[in-house]
């Protein structure tokens, strides 16, 4: 069946903010869908609250709504746009759940919107675990024995019949949130209770545990004609019990015979038929009992998923794109496979390489977490690597992680453990397990011993053992007194074919990476690049998607065009995520348009940058010096862009050929990062900095503190996201912080404590307003301010974790002028060519500079969307030699009657709010501070700061309500201003609960207080419970708590957590409170209006001058 | 291969002179050199079924998937009484296998079946050569030490390799004696199956609904009719259909007398019997992922394929309709006679290895023998 012509416009719902379990893989899928549907002539309407996404660029949809993903808001969008169809299968669980709500609310029916891609029934059958199991047993498939409970009492009955151990899984949840394995009754009580709480319909499935079985996943596509194909088969190295999202996974399946695989394939097809997925991509998960081959089906997702993104990158088959086409009527045999161009999409990709995915976690940011992996996903990002063999691919994946591994090497980390202790360690799934296994193999523990402990399949263990044996063999060579230079071509080749990096070999010989590289090249051992072609070379492929390996033949074709290499940002992590991929992708688009051949290098399978048609060429490679230099030598580019991918490529800048590094010079980048150089820059420009100094020992730190006084802020140099940054209030705190940094291994790798990389000690500015500025300067010295953002939370809360408003609602024009002036001076002084981000703290009208980053910042996409200026595109062009004037005449830089207008939109306010993963780490203290912890962000855009703020809060999942009871607890300095706000809220009909001091203030202000609670002293305090229980009881609909000094910041955090857990809206500054109050009043007399970005930036005429 | 083990150096040389260095695996070839027509197979799993498929007689099989041997081998996965292939080429032979079904590792299996192999080859480079030049002669063997030979000898042997055109390979693989499998006589249909190199999985499929008398390729029509079967089956097999001589005459006489179903070489033989012609494809179809559309239903099936020759559609147009086409290159993949209960397909509905999507064709044959033209192909 061909394209449906009875549909003209299609609404696509995005996945919203990046959260654990739902990351930028959905930007990848959404972007693909938008692209292909528009190519096909459909009007695409996109709703997504996440400004950092590429899909929310105005160019990707006809109408782009950066609005809260909430049933009412979506209803408004649907009423406004009247789309013919809703495609819910590309926005993850969020989109699927919203679609279900819209069906229930009758919104789709009322507006004549057809649900395409998946029917409500199909979604229900797949997502409701009880229904799913019935359906599967109904068609003769085996599932783990289980039963459902809606209350603890029911749960206790069920456990009687099933018996321990069990897995408990809530219905309708993401990434296994609230799931867990219980082996004892205590655990059972605990896990079951959490599960019931986590499920929106308080339903849990109690299931026989089959932890330790082999886990597999099949990616399936189905069309209307019931044609079905398997795109990719995946085997988990970590057996059942570790969430797939937290598992090391390998494509294709390695340890199933064809007979078993084909039966599994039949089952997957039967599953999709039964569930009723009419079209699109789904993934089906199976478990197989190693000893018997008994196969059970675990679950299926009737939508594009994280594994779909992985499968697409692993095979070159664009699942999301094809899924979108299938949804609008095409059948698989009507769609060409655009890698081979000659063959149709109705085939099964076959590959001639091995793909390994390794997740990356952020436990170090969440003290108190156990670091144990289980049935609930905890990773924040992942890397993928391609090699001809598993050893090569797993080693490439290890070094892609950017966690100091040169490959699969355990270092000496577990030397202290006895064999039994080490084996015991491998029995527990953690971020370290792979390396513990390597350590165990290295010390000669047998594969059977390690298998018994870890349940990891012997085939994988043997392959890992081949790596550790090779390392031992090299060490033996070294022992014989032969050096790097003596390694033969054959020895080099064997090591490289097993994925050894130069650094790893160097490590064995106690030599430098440079020496290893030189010795290798001297032996003529250089990488060959192979192509990802979906067909194992059976046909000619036209898509240049490459990976390195060490074979006979190199396939990369020469090209004489001017090439620019863009280095991506590697695995997502807190502090460096999708925003940087956004910048890299924009650079690729802009430079391509400007006539360059663009070459992307990245190792993150979730991203748009690793989509094979984003750039002219894609190298799916680790972002290490070795791997990047190999590509540079193979491609001979005219330039390399290192400043758009965050810290990852920046770290490489110094080592790359300086003449090739585009934009701001590595020297300037250092000048901004290096404390002393930076201090002298500020001195020269005489821009005030918070008093401070550097220290490489606790003693030195004390000396600095003597001079600048407390509170002080302590942090390592060269880190992102305020890693390990701490506010200390006295000498003890200071010493403790210094010690922590000296020992922290992960920090050692990220910079840590050393003479070259000293710790920075600053006077901590209390109660200061923080301001973020993004600016752009070209080689001629012309500069524009991209945007000035006023933070809602006070300085001290990491810029990445605080809400910010553009344009600043409370800063005086004077202060803004000063900030802009400083920013231009700094850009000039550092001879920035491209982007620079400067952060300021404004205290009592005085402006201090906190730091400058002469590179793309986290806020670039937000600013671009708030101001309608494609900052990243402009930056990439500027770095490649264009001037702002050129870009203005070209039209890429919008002008108003010939002039480049100011940055501040008139009559439009944009608010960015951070989204934090605390609900995933209940054990961890939810304190906000200078160390960044948010995983994602949302944007609210409207005609008043209030409304914009309200939207940002709704988008972040805060349930703001137009009325009810406010819990009020204000710092003394905030009381006067706070009373205005209270008055406003009283007018809006809110009643008050307050802490003593605030209650008194309220009464003085003539407002009545419904109830008074005592201010919390610390979390343990029983009074604390009063305030918390009050919040948890749901009596309170809004919490306003402004921090004051140390203790209060902690209180705020406790209250904040309580609010977060119960989903009660919480405000931490009077400014925000005022904004919300105004917003609420605006909201009371006008329902929230939705506006497409296109209309917003069409209507406002940028104010000039500012 | 193992980082620790000390592999035997070996080399592979193609008729065009391309040389590959590798490591010897499996049995030691007679005279130190294994020769044959080098082909590739892109299936990710099913190496044992492929190695024991008689259709590969005369050929050296290159597996494009780098890890081969991961799940070991088991007698259950043998597709015939022997390995008729001439050799096997892999990137990496699993040092340790892991699967509950396994009885032995692949290396021992190769030795037991007398199959020589070569590992540590850039199989992708090799595949790209074969893709562009077409299947070609090749030779490999150990290049030093015992049983040693040198590159010159390999080059000569590769050049001398006749390939499979104009070679009668069927007589090497067909059963010397007739034998019976499947249902107890009288409990189902009665099928006579010409063994041109039949796979066990095919007989298992027929055996679901019939007593199957497997007869040598040379069996004359009269003998077959004398057994008065409900249907005749023409099996898969190796090499050039033009070499089938007697079998083709038999088929010609049988058309119209009895329902008939042919697979792969059987399909080609049928075409020749009908006065049609076959052509050698630039490079064959060798994998488990080929999309084929059943033109009678419009449905796409993913199929297992292994052939270098194909039926020229126009050459049979006077009697038959094309029922299946390969969506990758439009090659005729199946046909049905307009006026007779006779049909055939080029791909392998018995899978093994490969997807089960086409298994319905056996039921179609069963239905045809019932005279039920509804589900019948005709
Ligand atoms: N019965 C079980 N016994 C042991 N582990 C299980 C069981 N069911 C699921 N798991 C583990 O929990 C993980 C998450 O379960 P899954 O059903 O895939 O939920 P999600 O929707 O979060 O992906 C799986 O990847 C698997 O490792
Ligand atoms: N002197 C200071 N006074 C108050 N807050 C500060 C000071 N220096 C830094 N901060 C806070 O710490 C956060 C992180 O510091 P920053 O230098 O921006 O590190 P990063 O490089 O991780 O962004 C800032 O966003 C700000 O909120
Ligand atoms: Mg899952
Ligand atoms: Mg900062």
């Amino acid at each position: 069946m061909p394209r449906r012509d009875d549909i003209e416009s299609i609404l696509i719902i995005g996945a919203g903010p990046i959260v654990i379990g739902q990351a930028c893989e959905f930007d990848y899928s959404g972007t693909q869908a938008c692209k292909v549907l528009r190519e096909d002539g459909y009007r695409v309407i996109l709703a997504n609250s996440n400004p950092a996404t590429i899909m929310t660029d105005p160019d990707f949809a006809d109408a782009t709504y950066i609005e809260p993903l909430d049933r009412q808001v979506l209803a408004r969008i649907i009423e406004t746009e009247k789309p013919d169809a809703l495609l819910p299968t590309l926005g993850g669980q969020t989109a699927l759940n919203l679609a279900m709500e819209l069906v229930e609310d009758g919104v789709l029916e009322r507006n004549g919107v057809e649900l395409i891609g998946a029917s409500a029934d199909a979604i229900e059958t797949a997502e409701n675990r009880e229904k799913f199991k019935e359906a599967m047993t109904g068609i003769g498939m085996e599932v783990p024995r289980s039963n459902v409970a809606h209350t603890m009492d029911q749960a206790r009955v069920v456990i009687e019949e099933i018996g321990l151990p069990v897995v408990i899984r809530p219905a309708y949840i993401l990434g296994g949130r609230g799931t867990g394995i219980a082996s004892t009754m205590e655990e059972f009580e605990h896990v079951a209770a959490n599960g019931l709480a986590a499920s929106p319909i308080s339903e849990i499935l109690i299931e026989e545990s089959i932890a330790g079985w082999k886990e597999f996943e099949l990616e399936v596509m189905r069309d209307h004609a019931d044609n079905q194909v398997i795109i990719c088969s995946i085997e988990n190295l970590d057996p059942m019990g570790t969430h797939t999202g937290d598992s090391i996974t390998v494509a294709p399946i390695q340890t199933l015979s064809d007979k078993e695989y084909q039966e599994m394939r039949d089952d997957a097809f039967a599953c999709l038929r039964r569930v009723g997925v009419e079209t699109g991509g789904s993934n089906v998960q199976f478990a197989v009992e190693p000893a018997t081959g008994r196969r059970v089906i675990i679950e299926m997702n009737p939508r594009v998923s994280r594994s779909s993104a992985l499968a697409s990158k692993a095979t070159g088959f664009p699942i999301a794109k094809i899924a979108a086409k299938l949804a609008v009527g095409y059948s698989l045999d009507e769609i060409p496979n655009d890698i081979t161009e000659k063959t149709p999409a109705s085939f099964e990709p076959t590959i001639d390489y091995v793909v390994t995915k390794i997740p990356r976690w952020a436990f170090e940011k969440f003290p108190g977490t156990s670091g144990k992996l289980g049935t609930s996903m905890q990773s924040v990002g992942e890397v993928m690597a391609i090699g001809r063999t598993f050893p090569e691919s797993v080693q490439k994946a290890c070094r892609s992680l950017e966690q100091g591994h040169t490959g699969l090497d355990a270092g000496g980390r577990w030397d202290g453990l006895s064999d039994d202790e080490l084996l015991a360690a491998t029995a527990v799934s953690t971020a370290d397990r792979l390396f513990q296994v390597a350590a165990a193999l290295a010390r000669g523990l047998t594969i059977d011993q390690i298998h018994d402990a870890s349940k990891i399949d012997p085939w994988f263990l043997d392959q890992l053992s081949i790596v550790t044996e090779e390392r031992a063999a090299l060490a033996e060579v070294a022992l014989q007194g032969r050096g790097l230079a003596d390694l033969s071509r054959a020895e080099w080749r064997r090591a490289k074919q097993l994925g050894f990096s130069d650094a790893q070999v160097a490590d064995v010989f106690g030599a430098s990476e440079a020496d290893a590289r030189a010795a290798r090249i001297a032996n003529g051992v250089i990488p060959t690049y192979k192509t990802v072609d979906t067909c194992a070379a059976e046909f000619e492929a036209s898509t240049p998607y490459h990976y390195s390996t060490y074979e006979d033949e190199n396939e990369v074709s020469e090209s004489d065009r001017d090439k620019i290499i863009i280095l991506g940002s590697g695995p997502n992590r807190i502090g460096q995520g999708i925003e940087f991929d956004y910048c890299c992708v924009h650079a690729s688009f802009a430079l391509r348009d400007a006539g360059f051949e663009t070459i992307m290098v990245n190792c993150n399978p979730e991203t748009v940058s690793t989509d094979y048609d984003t750039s002219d060429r894609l190298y799916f490679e680790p972002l290490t010096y070795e791997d990047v230099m190999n590509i540079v030598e193979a491609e001979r580019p005219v330039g390399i862009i290192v400043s758009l991918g965050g810290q990852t490529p920046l770290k490489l800048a110094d080592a790359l050929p300086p003449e090739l590094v585009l934009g701001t010079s590595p020297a300037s980048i250092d000048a901004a990062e290096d404390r002393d150089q930076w201090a002298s820059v500020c001195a020269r420009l005489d821009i005030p900095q918070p008093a401070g100094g550097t220290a490489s020992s606790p003693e030195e730190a004390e000396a600095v503190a003597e001079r600048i006084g407390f509170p002080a802020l302590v942090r390592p140099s060269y880190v992102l996201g305020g890693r390990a940054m701490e506010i200390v209030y006295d000498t003890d705190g200071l010493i403790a912080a210094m010690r922590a940094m000296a020992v922290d291994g992960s920090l050692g790798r990220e910079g840590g404590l050393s003479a070259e990389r000293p710790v920075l000690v600053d006077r901590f500015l209390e109660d200061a307003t923080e301001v973020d500025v993004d600016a752009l300067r070209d080689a001629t010295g012309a500069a524009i301010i991209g945007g000035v953002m006023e933070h809602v939370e006070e300085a001290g809360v990491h810029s990445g974790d605080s809400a910010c408003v553009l344009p600043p609602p409370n800063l005086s024009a004077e202060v803004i002028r000063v900030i802009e002036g400083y920013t231009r001076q700094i850009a000039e002084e550092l001879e920035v060519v491209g982007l620079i981000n400067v952060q300021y703290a404004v205290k009592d009208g005085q402006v201090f500079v906190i730091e400058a980053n002469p590179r793309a910042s986290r806020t670039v996409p937000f600013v671009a969307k708030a101001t309608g200026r494609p900052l990243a595109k402009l930056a990439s062009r500027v770095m490649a030699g264009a001037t702002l004037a050129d870009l203005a005449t070209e039209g890429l830089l919008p002008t108003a009657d010939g002039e480049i207008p100011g940055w501040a939109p008139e009559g439009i306010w944009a608010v960015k709010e951070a989204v934090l993963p605390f609900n995933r780490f209940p054990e961890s203290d939810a304190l906000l501070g200078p160390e960044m912890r948010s995983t994602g962000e949302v944007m609210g855009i409207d005609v008043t700061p209030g409304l914009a703020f309200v939207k940002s809060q709704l988008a972040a999942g805060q349930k703001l309500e137009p009325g009810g009871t406010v819990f009020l607890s204000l710092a003394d300095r905030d009381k006067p201003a706070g009373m205005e706000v209270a008055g406003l809220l009283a007018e809006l009909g809110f009643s008050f609960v307050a802490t003593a001091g605030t209650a008194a203030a309220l009464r003085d202000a003539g407002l009545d207080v419904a109830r008074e609670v005592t201010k919390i002293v610390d979390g343990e305090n029983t009074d604390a419970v009063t305030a918390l229980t009050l919040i948890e009881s749901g009596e309170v609909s809004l919490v306003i708590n402004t921090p004051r000094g140390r203790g209060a910041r902690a209180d705020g955090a406790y209250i904040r957590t309580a609010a977060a857990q119960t989903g009660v809206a919480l405000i931490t500054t009077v400014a925000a409170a005022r904004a919300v109050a105004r917003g609420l009043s605006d909201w009371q007399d006008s329902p929230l209006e939705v506006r497409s970005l296109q209309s917003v930036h069409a209507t406002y005429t940028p104010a000039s001058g500012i | 291969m193992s980082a620790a083990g000390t592999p035997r150096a070996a080399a592979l040389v193609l008729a065009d002179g391309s040389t590959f260095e590798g490591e010897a695996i499996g049995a030691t070839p007679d005279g130190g050199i294994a020769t044959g027509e080098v082909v590739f197979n892109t299936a990710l799993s099913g190496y044992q079924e492929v190695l024991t498929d008689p259709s590969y007689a005369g050929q050296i099989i290159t597996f494009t998937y780098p890890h081969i041997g991961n799940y070991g081998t088991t007698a259950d996965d043998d597709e015939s009484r022997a390995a008729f292939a001439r050799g096997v080429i892999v990137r990496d032979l699993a040092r340790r296998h892991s699967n509950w079904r396994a009885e032995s590792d692949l290396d021992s299996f190769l030795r037991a079946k007398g199959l020589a192999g070569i590992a540590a080859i850039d199989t992708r480079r090799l595949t790209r050569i074969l893709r562009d030049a077409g299947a070609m002669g090749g030779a490999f063997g150990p290049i030093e030490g015992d049983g040693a030979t040198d590159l010159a000898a390999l080059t000569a042997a590769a050049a001398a390799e006749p390939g499979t055109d104009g070679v009668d390979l069927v007589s090497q693989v067909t059963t010397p004696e007739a034998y019976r499998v499947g249902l107890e006589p009288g409990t189902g249909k009665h099928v006579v199956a010409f063994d041109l190199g039949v796979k066990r999985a095919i007989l298992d499929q027929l055996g679901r609904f019939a007593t199957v008398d497997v007869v040598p390729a040379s069996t004359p029509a009269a003998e077959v009719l004398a057994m008065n079967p409900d249907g005749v089956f023409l099996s898969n097999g190796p090499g050039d259909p033009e070499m089938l001589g007697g079998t083709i005459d038999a088929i010609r006489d049988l058309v119209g007398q009895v329902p008939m179903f042919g697979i792969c070489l059987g399909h080609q033989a049928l075409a020749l019997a009908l006065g049609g012609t076959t052509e050698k494809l630039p490079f064959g179809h060798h994998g488990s992922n080929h999309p084929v559309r059943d033109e009678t239903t419009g449905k796409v099936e993913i199929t297992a394929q292994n052939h270098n020759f194909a039926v020229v559609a126009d050459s049979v147009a006077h009697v038959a309709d094309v029922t299946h086409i390969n969506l990758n290159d439009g090659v005729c993949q199946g046909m049905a006679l307009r006026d007779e209960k006779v049909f055939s397909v080029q791909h392998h509905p018995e899978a093994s290895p490969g997807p089960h999507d086409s298994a319905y064709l056996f039921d179609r044959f069963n239905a045809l023998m019932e005279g039920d033209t509804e589900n019948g192909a005709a």
Side-chain angles (χ1 to χ4, degrees), chain A residues 102-316:
Chain A
L102 292 168
V103 170
E104 285 153 16
D105 300 359
V107 174
L108 297 190
E109 206 181 351
R110 267 203 308 287
N111 295 275
V113 183
E114 178 185 348
L115 195 60
I116 58 174
S119 70
D121 282 358
I123 298 174
E124 174 66 13
T125 314
E127 295 294 325
N128 178 311
R129 295 191 179 273
E130 193 179 2
K131 286 211 175 75
F132 179 71
K133 283 172 169 266
E134 271 169 27
M136 292 305 104
T137 39
I139 55 172
M141 282 192 216
E142 245 193 286
V143 299
R145 286 181 303 111
S146 69
N147 212 331
V148 173
H150 297 89
T151 66
M152 279 311 289
D153 294 346
Q154 288 178 14
R156 294 191 189 92
V157 178
V158 173
I159 193 67
E160 285 309 311
E161 69 194 46
I162 293 185
L164 294 162
V166 290
V167 176
I168 291 163
R169 299 210 254 97
Y172 285 101
I173 42 99
L174 272 190
R177 189 155 71 80
T179 73
I181 294 183
S183 313
T184 69
M185 269 323 273
E186 296 65 45
E187 285 173 1
F188 176 76
E189 290 287 327
H190 179 67
V191 181
N194 285 354
L196 285 168
S199 168
I201 57 170
S202 87
E203 169 180 307
I204 56 168
L205 186 78
I206 301 168
E207 185 172 85
E208 137 189 50
S209 170
I210 52 175
W213 287 25
K214 299 190 192 196
E215 184 164 4
F216 300 94
E217 198 166 341
L218 297 185
E219 291 298 320
V220 193
M221 297 230 84
R222 183 171 191 231
D223 70 14
H224 290 103
D226 187 36
N227 296 317
Q228 297 199 59
V229 291
I230 303 288
I231 302 310
C232 186
S233 73
I234 301 172
E235 177 163 1
N236 290 13
L237 182 142
D238 298 289
M240 287 288 287
T242 306
H243 193 278
T244 353
D246 280 348
S247 294
I248 296 170
T249 62
V250 177
I253 286 176
Q254 302 292 337
T255 66
L256 286 183
S257 60
D258 190 66
K259 299 238 181 329
E260 295 170 288
Y261 169 69
Q262 298 301 341
E263 284 173 11
M264 187 178 279
R265 181 179 177 273
D266 295 342
D267 284 359
F269 291 168
C271 171
L272 261 75
R273 276 191 196 102
R274 173 59 188 83
V275 167
V277 180
E278 292 131 352
T279 69
S282 299
N283 72 316
V284 188
Q285 280 167 263
F286 296 92
V288 171
E289 186 172 30
T292 63
R294 178 185 159 206
R295 178 175 64 255
V296 301
I297 185 165
I298 301 301
E299 72 149 2
M300 78 94 70
N301 294 302
R303 55 168 174 90
V304 169
S305 67
R306 184 185 328 104
S307 359
S308 317
L310 185 70
S312 300
K313 307 311 170 85
T315 59

Side-chain angles (χ1 to χ4, degrees), chain A residues 254 260 266 333 350 555, chain B residues 42 65 99-100 124 293 356:
Chain A
Q254 302 292 337
E260 295 170 288
D266 295 342
D333 50 330
T350 187
E555 292 172 24
Chain B
T42 66
Y65 185 62
N99 187 285
W100 63 283
R124 184 170 168 92
R293 188 166 53 222
H356 301 151

Side-chain angles (χ1 to χ4, degrees), chain B residues 3-76:
Chain B
T6 45
R8 295 175 294 161
L12 162 74
V13 179
L14 298 181
D16 72 357
S18 320
T19 304
F20 299 73
E21 287 170 19
E23 300 161 3
I25 56 169
T28 311
D30 310 341
I33 297 186
T35 63
E37 180 180 64
V38 183
V39 297
F40 62 85
N41 187 304
T42 66
L44 295 172
S45 54
Y47 48 83
Q48 184 182 351
E49 293 90 327
V50 167
L51 291 170
T52 54
D53 176 350
S55 306
Y56 283 97
Q59 299 182 321
I60 297 172
I61 306 159
T62 309
F63 289 104
T64 60
Y65 185 62
H67 286 292
I68 297 297
N70 299 6
Y71 53 85
T73 62
T74 162
D76 291 350

Side-chain angles (χ1 to χ4, degrees), chain A residues 227 254 257-258 260 265-266 333 346 348 350 352 388 390 448 457 462 469 530 538-539 551 555, chain B residues 42 45 65 67 91 95-96 98-101 122-124 131 289-291 293 300 354 356-357:
Chain A
N227 296 317
Q254 302 292 337
S257 60
D258 190 66
E260 295 170 288
R265 181 179 177 273
D266 295 342
D333 50 330
S346 57
E348 298 195 340
T350 187
D352 55 4
R388 280 278 282 163
F390 174 70
D448 295 329
D457 188 275
D462 182 58
E469 288 165 33
K530 301 281 186 190
E538 182 170 7
F539 306 99
E551 290 274 32
E555 292 172 24
Chain B
T42 66
S45 54
Y65 185 62
H67 286 292
R91 169 63 174 75
R95 184 175 72 174
R96 172 169 177 152
S98 167
N99 187 285
W100 63 283
R101 298 178 68 237
D122 183 347
T123 47
R124 184 170 168 92
R131 169 186 83 197
N289 68 334
H290 280 250
R293 188 166 53 222
V300 178
H356 301 151
D357 300 10

